Amino acid sequence: MARIMSGVQPTGNLHIGNYLGALVNWVRLQDQYEAYFSIVDLHALTGRPEPAALRHAVREVAIGVLASGVDPERATVFVQSHVPQHTELAWVLTCLTPLGDLNRMTQFKDKSQHQPDNINTGLFTYPVLQTADIVLYRADRVPVGEDQEQHLELARETVRRFNHVYGETFPEPQVVKSSAPRVMGLDGESKMSKSRNNEIGLFETADETMLKLRGAKTDPARLRKTDKGTPEVCNIYSYHGFFTGEVQRAAIATGCRSAQLGCVDCKKLLAQNLEVVKGPIRERAAVLREQPRRLEEILAAGAHRARAEAEKTMVLVRERVGLGAPRS
Ligand code: AQP
């Protein structure tokens, strides 16, 4: 069975961008592949979170992953820092990665602008650790959103370089594209992000979501309810594309174009449809929150399985690059 590997950062509350761009795919793919899904807390350190906040976020993101339908019996779900081989392999790969390659990464530029007082080296070498995350499990496929495709290209280059220098060791990981590669934020300007305050949270109640939707941008040319709108340029209508059935969506488009449906009513319909998806996830999350021991056990079992697989890779890597004690 081919392998997939993917991760999510515990940097805040999971949002519908993470859900549509990653988690929906994870749930679908866990039956088709041997799956490794990680809560990548070492990556989150690049934002220098409060220690207690980081631990809380790790639990909440793990709960979100499981409540969304990832099954720890079918997929290996684990916390990155529980598998020390990630950092060991990252160093080996760091020594193979030209500075110029990392200089080209647009996410580094974005994140540097976003946290100008904390442009740390980890932020710069982030894609190398990400490459280690993937190749440690010799994954063939990596389901990610559009924002991660450049990092995946770098991972493939690194694999080619490693295989060229040390002999065929890793498969070249291919991207599995999601059907929602870039969900926009409520600001309508950038992708939905945990750290940009533009998200619809996966655990939000219907009321909380409606409150956020009220202030969200729509068709900028539609200033009054009596103005005719253009659904194709409306950010709210783009969300309907993910959560609303075809018939209702067509009715919304017609109502918007003819000015018979106002933006507030259109947002109410979206909030209702979002709740159909979010409600059951929120309920499953509440049950898991009541069972902290069960969550610990799931993550411990996942880390145990992941470490065993990671160590197999590292035995090979150490031998190939000349590290560790010689075999007798
Ligand atoms: N807006 C999005 N649309 C589609 N997919 C998305 N993903 C993230 N945002 C969107 C995908 O979700 C997975 C996990 O993302 P991540 O937490 O590892 O990192 P990120 O891409 O940096 O996500 P955020 O929410 O934007 O976090 P912060 O604010 O901490 O940077 C990935 O597969 C990603 O593609």
Side-chain angles (χ1 to χ4, degrees), residues 31 39 49 60 62 71 165 204 231 236 255 265 271 289 291 306 319:
D31 289 324
I39 293 97
E60 281 296 297
D71 176 1
V165 175
E204 274 170 19
I236 295 296
D265 289 330
R289 257 182 227 114
Q291 305 172 337
E319 189 177 293

Side-chain angles (χ1 to χ4, degrees), residues 6-23 26 38 40 43-44 46 61 107 111 114 126 130 142-149 178 180-185 190-199 242:
S6 200
V8 57
Q9 290 193 76
T11 39
N13 298 324
L14 286 177
H15 50 71
I16 60 161
N18 299 131
Y19 178 73
L20 296 167
L23 297 175
W26 292 13
S38 185
V40 290
H43 285 281
T46 56
V61 168
Q107 193 181 77
K111 295 242 165 175
H114 191 54
Y126 185 113
Q130 191 174 358
V142 186
V144 286
E146 193 181 85
D147 54 333
Q148 296 300 325
E149 283 186 21
S178 101
R182 183 179 162 86
V183 178
M184 294 302 285
S190 49
K191 74 155 195 149
M192 192 172 284
S193 237
K194 296 187 217 82
S195 51
R196 279 179 204 256
N197 217 7
N198 65 359
E199 85 281 9
F242 301 118

Side-chain angles (χ1 to χ4, degrees), residues 14-27 64 67-69 180 202 243 277-278 281 284:
L14 286 177
H15 50 71
I16 60 161
N18 299 131
Y19 178 73
L20 296 167
L23 297 175
V24 168
N25 249 346
W26 292 13
V27 173
S68 297
L202 199 54
F243 294 98
V277 174
K278 288 195 289 119
I281 294 176
R284 286 194 290 271

Side-chain angles (χ1 to χ4, degrees), residues 89-246:
L89 182 56
W91 179 254
V92 174
L93 300 181
T94 300
C95 297
L96 270 182
T97 308
L99 212 56
D101 286 12
L102 292 180
N103 262 330
R104 284 201 299 275
M105 296 296 113
T106 52
Q107 193 181 77
F108 172 68
K109 291 170 196 161
D110 287 351
K111 295 242 165 175
S112 302
Q113 275 174 5
H114 191 54
Q115 51 183 74
D117 300 330
N118 181 21
I119 306 177
N120 57 73
T121 313
L123 213 51
F124 188 66
T125 57
Y126 185 113
V128 184
L129 179 57
Q130 191 174 358
T131 302
D133 299 339
I134 298 162
V135 303
L136 195 52
Y137 302 97
R138 299 182 302 286
D140 312 277
R141 302 275 155 84
V142 186
V144 286
E146 193 181 85
D147 54 333
Q148 296 300 325
E149 283 186 21
Q150 194 186 33
H151 287 176
L152 251 290
E153 188 46 53
L154 183 96
R156 276 197 294 277
E157 266 175 48
T158 307
V159 162
R160 286 195 287 271
R161 195 170 293 119
F162 189 100
N163 289 346
H164 177 72
V165 175
Y166 296 111
E168 201 63 27
T169 308
F170 300 118
E172 260 186 55
Q174 306 299 320
V175 171
V176 184
K177 290 201 176 175
S178 101
S179 50
R182 183 179 162 86
V183 178
M184 294 302 285
L186 283 169
D187 51 11
E189 282 159 16
S190 49
K191 74 155 195 149
M192 192 172 284
S193 237
K194 296 187 217 82
S195 51
R196 279 179 204 256
N197 217 7
N198 65 359
E199 85 281 9
I200 298 176
L202 199 54
F203 298 145
E204 274 170 19
T205 62
D207 287 348
E208 285 165 341
T209 299
M210 191 55 217
L211 208 63
K212 282 189 181 175
L213 288 177
R214 272 184 194 282
K217 290 196 179 140
T218 56
D219 172 359
R222 195 174 182 198
L223 301 175
R224 286 170 297 269
K225 193 178 170 181
T226 48
D227 294 338
K228 291 180 178 172
T230 310
E232 291 73 20
V233 301
C234 175
N235 198 28
I236 295 296
Y237 187 71
S238 78
Y239 298 141
H240 276 294
F242 301 118
F243 294 98
T244 303
E246 222 171 291

